[in-house]
Amino acid sequence: MTAKLILQLAALLGALSVGIGAFAAHGLRKMLEASGRFETFETAVCYQFFHTLALLGIGLLLLLRPELKSLGTVAWLWLGGILIFSGSLYVLCLTGITKLGAVTPIGGVLFIAGWIMLLLAARQL
């Protein structure tokens, strides 16, 4: 994944994080609280936003150090983590399909794998 694509994804995911968070806080709060899912939704938004900011950092680092190609893998892992971890929690909260909870840890593993890959990439600095 290129630095340009990572930065574009970070921009898009950042905008979505703010939009989804605001929508939950203002438009969905009553429904999410009634189902006991507000905190779960909030967790999904937080993990999406944290990893979006991390993607921004990876994109900037890749601009400075384009030889660190493994940073592209870090970006893919975190993108997958956002889609699977946060995505499954969003769907769970909005639909009540609890079986999706079984998929959520896969996203968490992708987040962890991305951080470990970043550790390995940092050894090349």
Side-chain angles (χ1 to χ4, degrees):
M1 189 178 304
T2 65
K4 180 180 179 179
L5 179 56
I6 294 168
L7 293 171
Q8 289 173 331
L9 283 170
L12 176 63
L13 289 167
L16 285 172
S17 296
V18 173
I20 291 168
F23 185 57
H26 301 290
L28 298 176
R29 186 178 200 107
K30 288 181 184 177
M31 184 209 48
L32 291 170
E33 286 177 341
S35 66
R37 301 263 188 228
F38 185 77
E39 287 181 7
T40 302
F41 201 93
E42 195 172 53
T43 297
V45 173
C46 285
Y47 272 75
Q48 178 177 336
F49 215 166
F50 295 152
H51 286 87
T52 295
L53 292 174
L55 276 173
L56 178 64
I58 290 297
L60 294 173
L61 182 57
L62 194 54
L63 275 176
L64 297 172
R65 299 291 299 272
E67 72 277 8
L68 297 175
K69 303 280 187 217
S70 59
L71 294 177
T73 303
V74 174
W76 281 115
L77 289 166
W78 287 343
L79 177 60
I82 290 169
L83 293 174
I84 295 172
F85 182 88
S86 295
S88 67
L89 290 179
Y90 293 143
V91 174
L92 168 81
C93 291
L94 296 174
T95 67
I97 301 172
T98 57
K99 292 181 182 182
L100 287 172
V103 175
T104 306
I106 296 168
V109 169
L110 292 174
F111 285 146
I112 293 166
W115 288 106
I116 292 169
M117 192 66 155
L118 177 59
L119 172 67
L120 296 174
R123 293 174 61 192
Q124 299 173 21
L125 293 174

